[in-house]
C-alpha cells in the first residue's frame, strides 16, 4: 500500500517530498494502524506491507491539526422586518470542486425561546450553467423551536439559503437582537470520492500464491462527525 509521495508522518519518521496537489507536503501529526500493517523501511515514502485478515477491518487512522479548508461553509445573519419582525438567515456554501457533491446535508439548530409565529423558507443558487438545484426541505418543531433542514444533494460551488421568519414579543425590539442569542448549527453530510485532508492512495498491489486474482477497487468517502458552527 502506497500513499502520497508528498506526505510526512511525524510519529513514523516519514518525510515527504514533492507537492500534494500543488499545496506542499501534507503533514500528518500521528498515524496508528492495524497490527497486520508494517511500514516498509526500505522505502523513503509512505509505503506499507500488510497481511490482510479475513473480513472487514480498519487499516489505519490518522490525525491532522494543521489548518484546512472546510468543505461546507455556514454563514448566519439577521434581517429586521419592522419593529417586531426578525429573519434568521443561514447561508450554506459548498466550498469544493464543482465536479464533486455533498449528499444528505442535514442542518439542525435551535431558535431563541422568545421566537413565535415561526415559518421557514428555502432558496438555492446553483453553479452557473448547472442544472436547477433543489434547496431542500426545512421543518420546524414548534414545541422545541428546533429546525431541521435537509438538502439531498449540494454540488461544489453552489449555495442554499434558509430564512426563518419570526415574530418577537411586543416588549422585544428586533434591532436589539444579535446572533449570540441563536444556538449552534450542527451539520451532517457525506461526500463520495473526496477527502478533505488530501490523503490519497497512490497504489495498492497484491502479492499472493493463489490462482484467483483479487478484486481490487478503491472508494473515498468523507463523513462529518462533529461539524458545528458557533456564533458569538
Amino acid at each position: 500500500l502506497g500513499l502520497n509521495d508528498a506526505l510526512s508522518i511525524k510519529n513514523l519518521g516519514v518525510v515527504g517530498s514533492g507537492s500534494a496537489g500543488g499545496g506542499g507536503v501534507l503533514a500528518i501529526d500521528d498515524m496508528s494502524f492495524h497490527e497486520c500493517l508494517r511500514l516498509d523501511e526500505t522505502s523513503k515514502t509512505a509505503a506499507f506491507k500488510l497481511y490482510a485478515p479475513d473480513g472487514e477491518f480498519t487499516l489505519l487512522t490518522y490525525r491532522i491539526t494543521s489548518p484546512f479548508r472546510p468543505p461546507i461553509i455556514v454563514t448566519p445573519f439577521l434581517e429586521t422586518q419592522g419593529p417586531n419582525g426578525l429573519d434568521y438567515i443561514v447561508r450554506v456554501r459548498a466550498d469544493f470542486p464543482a465536479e464533486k457533491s455533498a449528499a444528505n446535508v442535514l442542518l439542525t439548530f435551535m431558535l431563541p425561546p422568545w421566537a413565535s409565529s415561526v415559518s421557514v423558507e428555502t432558496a438555492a443558487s446553483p453553479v452557473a450553467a448547472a442544472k436547477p438545484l433543489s434547496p431542500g426541505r426545512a421543518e420546524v418543531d414548534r414545541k422545541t423551536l428546533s429546525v431541521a433542514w435537509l438538502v439531498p444533494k449540494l454540488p461544489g460551488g453552489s449555495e442554499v439559503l434558509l430564512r426563518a421568519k419570526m415574530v418577537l414579543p411586543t416588549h422585544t425590539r428586533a434591532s436589539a437582537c444579535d446572533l449570540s442569542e441563536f444556538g449552534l448549527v450542527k451539520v451532517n453530510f457525506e461526500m463520495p470520492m473526496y477527502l478533505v485532508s488530501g490523503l490519497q492512495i497512490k497504489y495498492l498491489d497484491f502479492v499472493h500464491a493463489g490462482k484467483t486474482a483479487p478484486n481490487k477497487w478503491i472508494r473515498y468517502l468523507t463523513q462529518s462527525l462533529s461539524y458545528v458552527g458557533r456564533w458569538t
Side-chain angles (χ1 to χ4, degrees), residues 169-215:
T170 54
H171 61 275
T172 304
R173 296 189 62 83
S175 57
C177 300
D178 59 59
L179 286 173
S180 63
E181 300 180 64
F182 291 79
L184 54 83
V185 176
K186 298 180 180 179
V187 189
N188 292 294
F189 61 89
E190 291 185 345
M191 294 183 63
M193 301 309 294
Y194 184 77
L195 286 184
V196 175
S197 67
L199 185 72
Q200 293 181 348
I201 295 177
K202 184 180 177 182
Y203 59 83
L204 178 63
D205 294 330
F206 290 92
V207 179
H208 60 94
K211 297 181 179 179
T212 303
N215 184 12

Side-chain angles (χ1 to χ4, degrees), residues 70-127:
I72 294 180
I73 297 176
V74 181
T75 306
F77 53 96
L78 299 174
E79 286 185 359
T80 58
Q81 305 293 338
N84 295 103
L86 185 68
D87 290 359
Y88 176 51
I89 302 168
V90 179
R91 177 182 290 134
V92 178
R93 175 173 174 77
D95 197 22
F96 48 85
E99 64 271 16
K100 303 296 183 181
S101 294
N104 299 319
V105 181
L106 175 64
L107 295 94
T108 55
F109 56 89
M110 301 289 293
L111 297 174
W114 42 253
S116 61
S117 300
V118 180
S119 63
V120 292
E121 56 187 44
T122 57
S125 176
V127 182

Side-chain angles (χ1 to χ4, degrees), residues 35-169:
E35 60 184 5
C36 72
L37 194 67
R38 295 289 184 271
L39 178 66
D40 185 355
E41 297 180 354
T42 63
S43 175
K44 296 182 180 179
T45 61
F48 303 88
K49 296 179 179 179
L50 66 142
Y51 294 89
D54 293 335
E56 181 177 330
F57 63 98
T58 298
L59 186 63
L60 59 87
T61 60
Y62 61 95
R63 181 174 63 93
I64 296 176
T65 58
S66 57
F68 70 98
R69 187 174 180 175
I72 294 180
I73 297 176
V74 181
T75 306
F77 53 96
L78 299 174
E79 286 185 359
T80 58
Q81 305 293 338
N84 295 103
L86 185 68
D87 290 359
Y88 176 51
I89 302 168
V90 179
R91 177 182 290 134
V92 178
R93 175 173 174 77
D95 197 22
F96 48 85
E99 64 271 16
K100 303 296 183 181
S101 294
N104 299 319
V105 181
L106 175 64
L107 295 94
T108 55
F109 56 89
M110 301 289 293
L111 297 174
W114 42 253
S116 61
S117 300
V118 180
S119 63
V120 292
E121 56 187 44
T122 57
S125 176
V127 182
K131 297 180 180 179
L133 173 65
S134 169
R137 181 179 178 181
E139 296 182 348
V140 182
D141 185 331
R142 288 174 171 78
K143 292 183 178 180
T144 61
L145 288 179
S146 61
V147 178
W149 177 23
L150 177 63
V151 183
K153 184 178 181 180
L154 188 64
S158 62
E159 288 187 358
V160 289
L161 180 145
L162 178 141
R163 183 183 295 266
K165 306 174 74 68
M166 297 168 287
V167 176
L168 280 64

